[in-house]
Coordinates of all heavy atoms in Angstrom, one line a residue:
G1 N 0.8 -1.2 0.0 CA 0.0 0.0 0.0 C 0.9 1.3 0.0 O 2.0 1.2 -0.3
N2 N 0.3 2.3 0.4 CA 0.9 3.6 0.4 C 2.1 3.7 1.4 O 3.0 4.4 1.3 CB 0.0 4.8 0.7 CG -1.0 5.0 -0.5 OD1 -0.7 4.6 -1.6 ND2 -2.2 5.5 -0.2
A3 N 2.0 2.9 2.5 CA 3.0 2.9 3.5 C 4.3 2.4 3.0 O 5.4 2.9 3.3 CB 2.6 2.1 4.7
W4 N 4.3 1.5 2.0 CA 5.5 1.0 1.4 C 6.2 2.1 0.7 O 7.4 2.3 0.8 CB 5.1 -0.1 0.4 CG 6.3 -0.7 -0.3 CD1 7.1 -1.7 0.1 CD2 6.8 -0.3 -1.6 NE1 8.1 -2.0 -0.8 CE2 7.9 -1.1 -1.9 CE3 6.4 0.6 -2.5 CZ2 8.6 -1.0 -3.0 CZ3 7.1 0.7 -3.7 CH2 8.2 -0.1 -3.9
L5 N 5.5 2.9 -0.1 CA 6.1 4.1 -0.8 C 6.7 5.1 0.2 O 7.8 5.5 0.0 CB 5.0 4.7 -1.7 CG 5.5 5.9 -2.5 CD1 6.7 5.6 -3.4 CD2 4.4 6.5 -3.3
V6 N 6.0 5.4 1.2 CA 6.5 6.4 2.2 C 7.8 5.8 2.8 O 8.8 6.6 3.0 CB 5.5 6.7 3.3 CG1 6.1 7.5 4.4 CG2 4.3 7.4 2.7
D7 N 7.8 4.5 3.2 CA 9.0 3.9 3.8 C 10.2 4.0 2.8 O 11.3 4.3 3.2 CB 8.7 2.5 4.2 CG 7.8 2.4 5.3 OD1 7.6 3.4 6.1 OD2 7.2 1.3 5.5
K8 N 10.0 3.7 1.5 CA 11.1 3.8 0.5 C 11.6 5.2 0.3 O 12.8 5.4 0.2 CB 10.6 3.2 -0.8 CG 10.4 1.7 -0.8 CD 11.6 1.0 -0.5 CE 11.4 -0.5 -0.4 NZ 12.6 -1.3 -0.1
L9 N 10.7 6.2 0.3 CA 11.1 7.6 0.2 C 11.9 8.0 1.4 O 12.9 8.7 1.3 CB 9.9 8.5 0.0 CG 9.2 8.5 -1.4 CD1 7.9 9.2 -1.3 CD2 10.2 9.1 -2.4
A10 N 11.5 7.6 2.5 CA 12.1 7.9 3.8 C 13.5 7.4 3.9 O 14.4 8.0 4.6 CB 11.3 7.5 5.0
L11 N 13.8 6.3 3.2 CA 15.2 5.8 3.3 C 16.2 6.8 2.8 O 17.3 6.9 3.5 CB 15.3 4.5 2.4 CG 14.6 3.2 3.0 CD1 14.8 2.1 2.0 CD2 15.3 2.8 4.3
N12 N 16.0 7.4 1.7 CA 17.0 8.3 1.1 C 16.8 9.8 1.5 O 17.6 10.6 1.4 CB 17.1 8.2 -0.4 CG 17.6 6.8 -0.8 OD1 18.5 6.3 -0.1 ND2 17.0 6.3 -1.8
L13 N 15.6 10.1 1.9 CA 15.2 11.5 2.1 C 14.8 11.7 3.6 O 14.0 12.6 3.9 CB 14.0 11.9 1.2 CG 14.3 11.8 -0.3 CD1 13.0 12.0 -1.1 CD2 15.4 12.8 -0.7
H14 N 15.2 10.9 4.5 CA 14.7 10.9 5.8 C 14.7 12.2 6.5 O 13.8 12.6 7.3 CB 15.4 9.8 6.7 CG 16.9 10.0 6.7 ND1 17.5 10.9 7.6 CD2 17.9 9.5 6.0 CE1 18.8 10.9 7.4 NE2 19.1 10.0 6.4
S15 N 15.7 13.1 6.2 CA 15.7 14.4 6.9 C 14.7 15.4 6.3 O 14.4 16.4 6.9 CB 17.1 15.0 6.8 OG 17.4 15.3 5.4
K16 N 14.1 15.0 5.1 CA 13.2 15.9 4.4 C 11.7 15.4 4.4 O 10.8 16.0 3.9 CB 13.7 16.2 3.0 CG 15.0 16.9 3.1 CD 15.5 17.3 1.7 CE 16.9 17.7 1.8 NZ 17.2 19.0 1.3
V17 N 11.5 14.2 4.9 CA 10.2 13.6 4.9 C 9.5 13.9 6.2 O 10.1 13.7 7.3 CB 10.3 12.0 4.7 CG1 8.9 11.4 4.9 CG2 10.8 11.7 3.4
H18 N 8.3 14.4 6.2 CA 7.5 14.7 7.4 C 6.4 13.7 7.5 O 5.4 13.8 6.8 CB 7.0 16.2 7.2 CG 8.1 17.2 7.0 ND1 8.8 17.7 8.1 CD2 8.6 17.7 5.9 CE1 9.7 18.5 7.6 NE2 9.6 18.5 6.3
L19 N 6.5 12.8 8.5 CA 5.5 11.8 8.8 C 4.4 12.4 9.7 O 4.6 13.4 10.3 CB 6.2 10.6 9.4 CG 7.3 9.9 8.6 CD1 7.9 8.8 9.4 CD2 6.8 9.5 7.3
N20 N 3.3 11.7 9.8 CA 2.2 12.1 10.6 C 1.7 13.5 10.2 O 1.2 14.2 11.0 CB 2.5 12.1 12.1 CG 3.0 10.7 12.6 OD1 2.3 9.7 12.4 ND2 4.2 10.7 13.1
T21 N 1.7 13.7 8.9 CA 1.4 15.0 8.4 C 0.4 14.9 7.2 O 0.7 14.1 6.3 CB 2.6 15.8 7.9 OG1 3.5 15.9 9.1 CG2 2.3 17.2 7.4
L22 N -0.6 15.7 7.1 CA -1.6 15.7 6.0 C -1.3 16.9 5.2 O -1.4 18.1 5.7 CB -3.0 15.7 6.5 CG -4.1 16.0 5.5 CD1 -4.2 14.8 4.6 CD2 -5.4 16.4 6.2
V23 N -1.0 16.8 3.9 CA -0.8 17.9 3.0 C -2.2 18.2 2.4 O -2.8 17.3 1.8 CB 0.2 17.6 1.9 CG1 0.2 18.7 0.9 CG2 1.6 17.4 2.5
Y24 N -2.7 19.4 2.6 CA -4.0 19.7 2.1 C -4.0 20.7 1.0 O -5.0 20.9 0.3 CB -5.0 20.1 3.2 CG -4.6 21.4 4.0 CD1 -4.9 22.6 3.5 CD2 -3.9 21.3 5.2 CE1 -4.6 23.8 4.2 CE2 -3.5 22.4 5.9 CZ -3.8 23.6 5.4 OH -3.5 24.7 6.1
S25 N -2.9 21.3 0.7 CA -2.8 22.2 -0.4 C -1.3 22.5 -0.8 O -0.5 22.6 0.0 CB -3.4 23.6 0.0 OG -3.3 24.5 -1.1
I26 N -1.1 22.4 -2.2 CA 0.2 22.8 -2.7 C -0.1 23.9 -3.8 O -0.8 23.7 -4.7 CB 0.9 21.6 -3.4 CG1 1.1 20.5 -2.4 CG2 2.2 22.0 -4.0 CD1 1.6 19.2 -3.0
S27 N 0.6 25.0 -3.6 CA 0.4 26.1 -4.5 C 1.8 26.6 -4.9 O 2.8 26.3 -4.3 CB -0.4 27.2 -3.9 OG 0.1 27.7 -2.7
Q28 N 1.8 27.5 -5.9 CA 3.1 28.0 -6.4 C 3.0 29.5 -6.6 O 2.0 30.1 -7.1 CB 3.4 27.4 -7.8 CG 4.8 27.8 -8.3 CD 5.1 27.2 -9.7 OE1 4.2 26.7 -10.4 NE2 6.4 27.2 -10.0
K29 N 4.0 30.2 -6.2 CA 4.2 31.6 -6.4 C 5.6 31.9 -6.8 O 6.5 31.5 -6.1 CB 3.9 32.4 -5.1 CG 3.9 33.9 -5.3 CD 3.5 34.7 -4.0 CE 3.6 36.2 -4.3 NZ 3.4 37.0 -3.1
D30 N 5.7 32.5 -8.0 CA 7.0 32.7 -8.6 C 7.7 31.3 -8.8 O 7.1 30.4 -9.4 CB 7.9 33.7 -7.8 CG 7.2 35.0 -7.7 OD1 6.6 35.5 -8.7 OD2 7.3 35.7 -6.6
E31 N 8.9 31.2 -8.2 CA 9.6 29.9 -8.4 C 9.5 29.0 -7.2 O 10.2 28.0 -7.1 CB 11.1 30.2 -8.7 CG 11.3 30.9 -10.0 CD 10.8 30.2 -11.2 OE1 11.1 29.0 -11.3 OE2 10.2 30.8 -12.1
K32 N 8.7 29.3 -6.2 CA 8.6 28.6 -5.0 C 7.3 27.9 -4.9 O 6.2 28.3 -5.4 CB 8.8 29.5 -3.7 CG 10.1 30.2 -3.7 CD 11.2 29.2 -3.4 CE 12.5 30.0 -3.2 NZ 13.6 29.1 -3.0
Y33 N 7.3 26.7 -4.2 CA 6.1 26.0 -3.9 C 5.7 26.1 -2.4 O 6.6 26.1 -1.5 CB 6.3 24.5 -4.2 CG 6.5 24.2 -5.7 CD1 7.8 24.2 -6.2 CD2 5.4 24.1 -6.5 CE1 8.0 23.9 -7.5 CE2 5.6 23.9 -7.9 CZ 6.9 23.8 -8.4 OH 7.1 23.6 -9.7
Y34 N 4.5 26.3 -2.1 CA 4.0 26.4 -0.8 C 3.1 25.2 -0.4 O 2.1 24.9 -1.1 CB 3.1 27.7 -0.6 CG 4.0 28.9 -0.8 CD1 4.3 29.4 -2.1 CD2 4.5 29.6 0.3 CE1 5.2 30.5 -2.3 CE2 5.3 30.7 0.1 CZ 5.6 31.2 -1.2 OH 6.5 32.2 -1.3
I35 N 3.6 24.5 0.6 CA 3.0 23.2 1.0 C 2.3 23.5 2.3 O 2.9 23.7 3.3 CB 4.0 22.1 1.1 CG1 4.8 21.9 -0.2 CG2 3.3 20.8 1.5 CD1 6.0 22.6 -0.3
H36 N 0.9 23.4 2.3 CA 0.1 23.7 3.5 C -0.2 22.3 4.1 O -0.7 21.4 3.4 CB -1.1 24.4 3.1 CG -0.9 25.7 2.5 ND1 -0.9 26.9 3.2 CD2 -0.5 26.1 1.2 CE1 -0.6 27.9 2.4 NE2 -0.4 27.4 1.1
S37 N 0.1 22.1 5.3 CA 0.0 20.8 6.0 C -0.5 20.9 7.4 O -0.5 22.0 8.0 CB 1.3 20.1 5.9 OG 2.2 20.7 6.7
Y38 N -1.0 19.8 7.9 CA -1.5 19.7 9.3 C -0.7 18.6 9.9 O -0.7 17.4 9.4 CB -3.0 19.4 9.4 CG -3.4 19.2 10.8 CD1 -3.6 20.4 11.6 CD2 -3.7 18.0 11.3 CE1 -4.1 20.2 12.9 CE2 -4.1 17.8 12.6 CZ -4.3 18.9 13.4 OH -4.7 18.8 14.7
N39 N 0.0 18.9 11.0 CA 0.8 17.9 11.7 C -0.1 17.3 12.8 O -0.5 18.0 13.8 CB 2.1 18.5 12.3 CG 3.0 17.5 12.9 OD1 2.5 16.7 13.8 ND2 4.2 17.4 12.5
F40 N -0.4 16.0 12.7 CA -1.2 15.3 13.7 C -0.5 15.1 15.1 O -1.2 15.1 16.1 CB -1.7 14.0 13.2 CG -2.7 14.1 12.1 CD1 -2.3 14.0 10.8 CD2 -4.0 14.4 12.4 CE1 -3.2 14.1 9.7 CE2 -5.0 14.5 11.3 CZ -4.6 14.4 10.0
K41 N 0.8 15.0 15.1 CA 1.5 14.8 16.3 C 1.4 16.0 17.3 O 1.2 15.8 18.5 CB 3.0 14.5 16.0 CG 3.4 13.1 16.4 CD 4.8 12.9 16.2 CE 5.2 11.5 16.7 NZ 6.5 11.1 16.4
N42 N 1.5 17.2 16.7 CA 1.5 18.4 17.6 C 0.3 19.3 17.3 O 0.3 20.4 17.9 CB 2.8 19.1 17.5 CG 3.1 19.6 16.1 OD1 2.2 19.7 15.3 ND2 4.4 19.9 15.9
S43 N -0.6 18.8 16.5 CA -1.8 19.6 16.2 C -1.6 21.0 15.7 O -2.2 21.9 16.1 CB -2.8 19.6 17.4 OG -3.1 18.3 17.8
Q44 N -0.6 21.1 14.8 CA -0.2 22.4 14.2 C -0.4 22.4 12.7 O -0.1 21.4 12.0 CB 1.2 22.8 14.6 CG 1.4 23.1 16.0 CD 2.9 23.6 16.2 OE1 3.8 23.2 15.5 NE2 3.1 24.4 17.2
I45 N -0.8 23.6 12.2 CA -0.7 23.8 10.8 C 0.6 24.4 10.4 O 1.1 25.3 11.1 CB -1.9 24.8 10.4 CG1 -3.2 24.2 10.6 CG2 -1.7 25.3 8.9 CD1 -4.4 25.1 10.3
V46 N 1.3 23.8 9.4 CA 2.6 24.2 9.0 C 2.6 24.5 7.5 O 2.0 23.7 6.7 CB 3.6 23.1 9.3 CG1 5.0 23.5 8.9 CG2 3.6 22.7 10.8
V47 N 3.3 25.6 7.1 CA 3.4 25.9 5.7 C 4.9 25.8 5.4 O 5.7 26.5 6.0 CB 2.9 27.3 5.3 CG1 3.2 27.6 3.8 CG2 1.4 27.4 5.7
Y48 N 5.3 24.9 4.5 CA 6.6 24.7 4.0 C 6.8 25.4 2.7 O 5.9 25.5 1.9 CB 7.0 23.2 3.8 CG 6.9 22.4 5.1 CD1 5.7 21.6 5.3 CD2 7.9 22.4 6.0 CE1 5.6 20.9 6.5 CE2 7.8 21.6 7.1 CZ 6.7 20.9 7.4 OH 6.6 20.1 8.5
I49 N 8.0 26.0 2.5 CA 8.3 26.7 1.2 C 9.5 25.9 0.6 O 10.5 25.7 1.3 CB 8.7 28.1 1.5 CG1 7.5 28.9 2.1 CG2 9.1 28.8 0.1 CD1 7.9 30.3 2.6
A50 N 9.3 25.5 -0.6 CA 10.3 24.6 -1.2 C 10.5 24.9 -2.7 O 9.7 25.5 -3.4 CB 9.8 23.1 -1.1
D51 N 11.7 24.5 -3.2 CA 12.0 24.6 -4.6 C 11.5 23.5 -5.4 O 11.1 23.6 -6.6 CB 13.6 24.6 -4.8 CG 14.2 25.9 -4.2 OD1 13.6 27.0 -4.2 OD2 15.3 25.7 -3.6
K52 N 11.4 22.3 -4.8 CA 10.8 21.1 -5.4 C 9.9 20.3 -4.4 O 10.1 20.4 -3.2 CB 11.9 20.2 -5.8 CG 12.8 20.8 -6.9 CD 13.9 19.8 -7.3 CE 14.9 20.5 -8.3 NZ 16.0 19.7 -8.6
V53 N 9.0 19.6 -4.9 CA 8.1 18.8 -4.1 C 7.9 17.4 -4.6 O 7.7 17.3 -5.8 CB 6.7 19.5 -4.0 CG1 5.7 18.7 -3.2 CG2 6.8 20.9 -3.5
I54 N 7.9 16.4 -3.8 CA 7.6 15.1 -4.1 C 6.2 14.8 -3.4 O 6.1 14.9 -2.2 CB 8.6 14.0 -3.6 CG1 9.9 14.3 -4.3 CG2 8.1 12.6 -3.9 CD1 11.1 13.4 -3.8
Y55 N 5.2 14.6 -4.2 CA 3.9 14.3 -3.7 C 3.6 12.9 -3.8 O 3.3 12.4 -4.9 CB 2.9 15.2 -4.5 CG 1.4 15.1 -4.0 CD1 1.0 15.7 -2.8 CD2 0.5 14.4 -4.7 CE1 -0.2 15.6 -2.4 CE2 -0.8 14.3 -4.3 CZ -1.2 14.9 -3.1 OH -2.5 14.8 -2.6
A56 N 3.7 12.1 -2.7 CA 3.4 10.7 -2.7 C 2.1 10.4 -2.1 O 2.0 10.3 -0.9 CB 4.6 10.0 -2.0
S57 N 1.1 10.2 -3.0 CA -0.3 10.0 -2.5 C -1.1 9.4 -3.6 O -0.6 9.4 -4.8 CB -0.8 11.4 -2.1 OG -2.1 11.3 -1.5
P58 N -2.2 8.9 -3.3 CA -3.1 8.3 -4.4 C -3.3 9.4 -5.5 O -3.5 10.6 -5.1 CB -4.3 7.9 -3.7 CG -3.9 7.7 -2.3 CD -2.8 8.6 -2.0
K59 N -3.3 9.0 -6.7 CA -3.4 9.9 -7.9 C -4.7 10.8 -7.8 O -4.7 12.0 -8.1 CB -3.4 9.1 -9.1 CG -3.3 9.9 -10.4 CD -3.2 8.9 -11.5 CE -3.0 9.5 -12.9 NZ -3.0 8.5 -14.0
F60 N -5.8 10.2 -7.4 CA -7.1 10.9 -7.4 C -7.1 12.1 -6.4 O -7.9 13.0 -6.5 CB -8.3 10.0 -7.1 CG -8.3 9.4 -5.7 CD1 -9.0 10.1 -4.7 CD2 -7.7 8.2 -5.4 CE1 -9.0 9.6 -3.4 CE2 -7.8 7.7 -4.1 CZ -8.4 8.4 -3.1
T61 N -6.2 12.2 -5.4 CA -6.2 13.3 -4.5 C -5.5 14.5 -5.0 O -5.7 15.6 -4.5 CB -5.5 12.9 -3.2 OG1 -4.1 12.6 -3.4 CG2 -6.1 11.7 -2.5
A62 N -4.7 14.3 -6.1 CA -3.9 15.4 -6.7 C -4.8 16.6 -7.1 O -4.4 17.8 -7.0 CB -3.0 14.9 -7.8
Q63 N -5.9 16.3 -7.7 CA -6.8 17.3 -8.3 C -7.3 18.3 -7.2 O -7.4 19.5 -7.4 CB -8.0 16.7 -9.0 CG -8.8 17.7 -9.7 CD -9.9 17.0 -10.5 OE1 -10.0 15.8 -10.6 NE2 -10.8 17.8 -11.1
Q64 N -7.5 17.7 -6.0 CA -8.0 18.6 -4.9 C -6.9 19.3 -4.2 O -7.1 20.3 -3.6 CB -8.8 17.7 -3.9 CG -10.2 17.6 -4.0 CD -10.6 16.7 -5.2 OE1 -9.9 15.9 -5.7 NE2 -11.8 16.9 -5.7
T65 N -5.7 18.7 -4.2 CA -4.6 19.2 -3.4 C -3.7 20.2 -4.2 O -3.3 21.2 -3.7 CB -3.7 18.0 -2.9 OG1 -4.6 17.1 -2.2 CG2 -2.6 18.5 -2.0
I66 N -3.3 19.8 -5.4 CA -2.3 20.6 -6.2 C -3.0 21.7 -6.9 O -3.9 21.5 -7.8 CB -1.5 19.7 -7.1 CG1 -0.8 18.6 -6.3 CG2 -0.5 20.6 -7.9 CD1 -0.1 17.6 -7.2
K67 N -2.7 23.0 -6.6 CA -3.3 24.1 -7.2 C -2.3 24.9 -8.0 O -1.9 26.0 -7.7 CB -3.9 25.0 -6.1 CG -5.0 24.2 -5.4 CD -5.6 24.9 -4.3 CE -6.7 24.2 -3.5 NZ -6.8 22.8 -3.5
I68 N -1.7 24.3 -9.0 CA -0.7 24.9 -9.8 C -1.1 24.8 -11.3 O -1.6 23.7 -11.7 CB 0.7 24.1 -9.7 CG1 1.1 24.2 -8.2 CG2 1.7 24.7 -10.6 CD1 2.2 23.3 -7.9
N69 N -1.0 25.9 -12.0 CA -1.4 25.9 -13.4 C -0.6 24.9 -14.3 O -1.2 24.2 -15.1 CB -1.4 27.3 -14.0 CG -2.4 28.2 -13.3 OD1 -3.4 27.7 -12.8 ND2 -2.1 29.5 -13.3
K70 N 0.7 25.0 -14.2 CA 1.5 24.2 -15.0 C 2.3 23.2 -14.1 O 3.1 23.7 -13.3 CB 2.5 25.1 -15.8 CG 3.4 24.3 -16.7 CD 4.3 25.3 -17.4 CE 5.3 24.5 -18.3 NZ 6.3 25.4 -18.9
V71 N 2.1 21.9 -14.2 CA 2.7 21.0 -13.4 C 3.6 20.0 -14.3 O 3.1 19.5 -15.2 CB 1.7 20.1 -12.6 CG1 2.3 19.1 -11.8 CG2 0.8 21.0 -11.7
Q72 N 4.8 19.9 -13.9 CA 5.7 18.9 -14.5 C 5.6 17.6 -13.6 O 5.9 17.7 -12.5 CB 7.1 19.4 -14.6 CG 7.2 20.5 -15.6 CD 8.7 21.0 -15.7 OE1 9.4 20.8 -14.7 NE2 9.0 21.6 -16.8
V73 N 5.3 16.5 -14.3 CA 5.2 15.3 -13.5 C 6.3 14.3 -13.9 O 6.5 14.0 -15.1 CB 3.8 14.6 -13.7 CG1 3.7 13.3 -13.0 CG2 2.7 15.6 -13.3
F74 N 7.0 13.9 -12.9 CA 8.1 12.9 -13.1 C 7.7 11.6 -12.4 O 7.5 11.7 -11.2 CB 9.4 13.4 -12.7 CG 9.9 14.7 -13.4 CD1 9.6 15.9 -12.8 CD2 10.5 14.6 -14.6 CE1 10.0 17.1 -13.5 CE2 10.9 15.7 -15.2 CZ 10.6 17.0 -14.7
V75 N 7.6 10.5 -13.0 CA 7.2 9.3 -12.4 C 8.5 8.3 -12.3 O 9.1 8.1 -13.3 CB 6.1 8.6 -13.2 CG1 5.8 7.2 -12.5 CG2 4.9 9.5 -13.3
K76 N 8.7 7.9 -11.1 CA 9.8 6.9 -10.9 C 9.3 5.9 -9.9 O 8.9 6.2 -8.8 CB 11.1 7.6 -10.4 CG 12.2 6.6 -10.2 CD 13.5 7.4 -9.8 CE 14.6 6.4 -9.6 NZ 15.8 7.0 -9.2
Y77 N 9.4 4.6 -10.3 CA 9.0 3.6 -9.4 C 10.2 3.2 -8.5 O 11.3 3.0 -8.9 CB 8.6 2.3 -10.2 CG 7.3 2.6 -10.9 CD1 7.3 2.9 -12.3 CD2 6.1 2.5 -10.3 CE1 6.2 3.2 -13.0 CE2 4.9 2.8 -11.0 CZ 4.9 3.1 -12.3 OH 3.8 3.4 -13.0
V78 N 9.9 3.1 -7.2 CA 10.9 2.8 -6.2 C 10.8 1.3 -5.9 O 9.7 0.8 -5.6 CB 10.7 3.6 -4.9 CG1 11.8 3.3 -3.9 CG2 10.7 5.1 -5.2
I79 N 11.9 0.6 -6.1 CA 11.9 -0.8 -5.8 C 12.8 -1.2 -4.7 O 13.8 -0.6 -4.5 CB 12.4 -1.6 -7.1 CG1 11.5 -1.3 -8.2 CG2 12.5 -3.1 -6.8 CD1 11.9 -1.8 -9.6

C-alpha cells in the first residue's frame, strides 16, 4: 500500500520527509512551492516553502490538493 512508498522515500530522504502530516494544499508563487499541511503529532498547521516537491499520494487526491497551473510530473518507481 501507500506505507510501502513512504518507507522507501524515507530511506534516502529521511531528513526531508515529514511523517504524521496531512498535506491539504500545494500552490506556487514565482519559483517557490507552498505546501500547506497539518501535523497530527503536535496539532499544528505548517506551511513549508520549497524549490521542489515530491507528492506521494493516491493519484485521485492530486486534483483537490495541487493548485498549480503548469505541473511537470516525473514518475519513478521505487523498488
Side-chain angles (χ1 to χ4, degrees):
N2 291 335
W4 180 86
L5 179 58
V6 171
D7 291 340
K8 292 296 181 183
L9 285 170
L11 285 177
N12 295 323
L13 302 171
H14 57 84
S15 66
K16 298 182 190 238
V17 172
H18 302 278
L19 302 176
N20 302 306
T21 302
L22 169 73
V23 173
Y24 60 87
S25 176
I26 300 172
S27 58
Q28 183 180 20
K29 182 177 180 186
D30 300 321
E31 298 296 316
K32 298 291 183 182
Y33 295 94
Y34 294 80
I35 303 95
H36 302 261
S37 65
Y38 177 78
N39 185 305
F40 288 99
K41 246 184 175 173
N42 59 22
S43 301
Q44 288 185 330
I45 292 175
V46 180
V47 178
Y48 297 98
I49 301 171
D51 295 323
K52 297 178 183 178
V53 176
I54 297 173
Y55 183 72
S57 186
K59 191 176 180 180
F60 68 89
T61 65
Q63 187 175 355
Q64 267 74 20
T65 306
I66 302 173
K67 299 176 178 24
I68 300 170
N69 292 335
K70 182 180 176 186
V71 178
Q72 293 179 336
V73 178
F74 300 94
V75 178
K76 181 177 180 182
Y77 292 98
V78 181
I79 299 174

